[in-house]
């Protein structure tokens, strides 16, 4: 599926710059998710209010939300885990620029079966697939169980996960990512029910709105679109055009159909591990 991972206030970081080899990458995105500055600020206030001392960011990318939590909670330390070295490097540069380098570590490794918990706060934004090798949507169920294992009693989990806002039509599915299926995501109610079954209580349930999606998807493409407009005769232009046109067509197919929920989850204590029947 599309990466679901807005900015009116520019974060203090070192952006990737254009090279002669192709367009810059994702410099318009503060977050790798449809997440507005206003919503992010509210989430950070809520999470910081729980007083976390340790933060674990699964599939962190460049860890923007984690860095904002660390800024809001000066005594907290964080670890971000991802397999994308380029995004991790951006996170390290951002942390250095904000004076957070001594309190955060960006680690290039798989999160499947990770032993890095438990942490007071676990972030998993658009990255449930990083915790499980199962096929969708089963990977979400397994990820929720892993998140319960990784969070300390009394802590918080912030899960950002996709859901169907309504059942997609056959034509819509055909225009989405390759092999998109109607059973690939749950609806919102079922997603929250799975969180409860995994040992959580939902403190806060919110979903990205249309403006957040449009800002995210536009920013996701904008760097490359502007580069392509001025470099149509450069060697990477044909491949860049094909990639941009393909992604835009996919977005137009899942626009208004695919949603993303941001669930602030509190672990139920005592924790009774789930045993499959």
């Amino acid at each position: 599926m599309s990466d679901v991972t807005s900015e009116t206030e520019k974060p203090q970081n070192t952006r990737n710059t254009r090279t002669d080899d192709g367009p810059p990458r994702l410099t318009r995105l503060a977050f790798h998710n449809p997440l507005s500055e206003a919503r992010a600020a509210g989430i950070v206030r809520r999470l910081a209010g729980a007083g976390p001392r340790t933060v674990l960011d699964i599939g962190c990318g460049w860890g923007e939300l984690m860095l904002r939590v660390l800024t809001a909670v000066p005594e907290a330390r964080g670890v971000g885990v991802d397999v994308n070295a380029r995004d991790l490097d951006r996170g390290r540069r951002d942390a250095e620029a904000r004076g957070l380098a001594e309190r955060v570590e960006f680690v290039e490794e798989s999160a499947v079966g990770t032993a890095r918990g438990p942490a007071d706060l676990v972030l998993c934004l658009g990255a449930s697939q990083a915790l499980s090798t199962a096929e969708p949507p089963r990977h979400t169920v397994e990820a929720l169980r892993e998140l319960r294992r990784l969070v300390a009693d009394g802590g918080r989990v912030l899960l950002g996960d996709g859901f169907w806002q309504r059942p997609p039509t056959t034509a819509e599915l055909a225009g989405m990512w390759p092999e998109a299926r109607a059973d690939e995501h749950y609806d919102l109610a079922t997603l929250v029910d799975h969180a409860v079954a995994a040992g959580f209580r939902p403190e806060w349930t919110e979903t990205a709105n249309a403006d957040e999606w449009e800002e995210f998807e536009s920013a996701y493409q904008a760097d490359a679109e502007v580069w392509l407009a001025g470099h149509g005769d450069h060697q990477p232009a044909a491949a860049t055009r094909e990639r941009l046109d393909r992604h835009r067509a996919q977005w137009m197919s899942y626009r208004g159909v695919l949603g993303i929920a941001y669930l602030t989850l509190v672990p139920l204590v005592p924790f009774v591990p789930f045993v499959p029947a």
Side-chain angles (χ1 to χ4, degrees), residues 55-61 78-89 92 105-117 127 129-133 146 149-150:
V55 182
L56 175 62
D57 194 348
I58 299 293
C60 64
V79 176
V81 177
D82 205 296
V83 295
N84 188 311
R86 189 172 180 181
D87 285 348
L88 292 168
D89 284 343
R92 294 183 189 105
E105 181 182 8
F106 287 91
V107 183
E108 185 180 354
E109 65 184 26
S110 169
V112 174
T114 182
R116 291 193 174 271
Q129 72 280 356
L131 288 167
S132 171
T133 59
E146 279 293 276
R149 179 180 68 85
L150 293 170

Side-chain angles (χ1 to χ4, degrees), residues 3-196:
D3 287 309
V4 176
T5 354
S6 74
E7 74 184 286
T8 54
E9 175 186 344
K10 295 285 187 181
Q12 300 175 14
N13 55 21
T14 304
R15 301 297 195 175
N16 299 322
T17 57
R18 182 176 65 81
T19 70
D20 292 336
D21 296 325
R25 180 175 180 272
L26 306 182
T27 70
R28 311 283 187 100
L29 287 177
F31 307 101
H32 208 285
N33 295 272
L35 181 63
S36 66
E37 289 289 337
R39 191 183 306 279
I43 288 173
V44 168
R45 283 194 300 270
R46 186 181 317 121
L47 299 178
R53 295 299 185 97
T54 53
V55 182
L56 175 62
D57 194 348
I58 299 293
C60 64
W62 52 85
E64 176 65 26
L65 199 71
M66 174 176 61
L67 295 180
R68 295 190 186 200
V69 171
L70 296 180
T71 299
V73 187
E75 62 272 21
R77 303 183 67 87
V79 176
V81 177
D82 205 296
V83 295
N84 188 311
R86 189 172 180 181
D87 285 348
L88 292 168
D89 284 343
R90 174 174 167 177
R92 294 183 189 105
R93 294 193 302 270
D94 291 353
E96 182 70 31
R98 301 181 201 191
L100 298 172
E102 298 302 315
R103 294 200 283 128
V104 66
E105 181 182 8
F106 287 91
V107 183
E108 185 180 354
E109 65 184 26
S110 169
V112 174
T114 182
R116 291 193 174 271
D120 298 328
L121 171 60
V122 183
L123 307 174
C124 184
L125 299 177
S128 56
Q129 72 280 356
L131 288 167
S132 171
T133 59
E135 290 295 313
R138 187 68 185 173
H139 74 281
T140 297
V141 175
E142 293 192 2
L144 282 161
R145 295 174 189 162
E146 279 293 276
L147 290 168
R148 181 58 189 89
R149 179 180 68 85
L150 293 170
V151 67
D153 290 350
R156 296 292 187 277
V157 165
L158 178 67
L159 172 68
D161 209 51
F163 70 96
W164 291 132
Q165 298 186 65
R166 60 168 173 80
T169 67
T170 300
E172 287 167 340
L173 285 169
M176 296 183 192
W177 50 92
E179 301 180 0
R181 309 186 318 270
D183 65 351
E184 192 165 340
H185 294 288
Y186 302 111
D187 60 24
L188 180 59
T190 304
L191 176 61
V192 177
D193 284 347
H194 279 304
V196 171

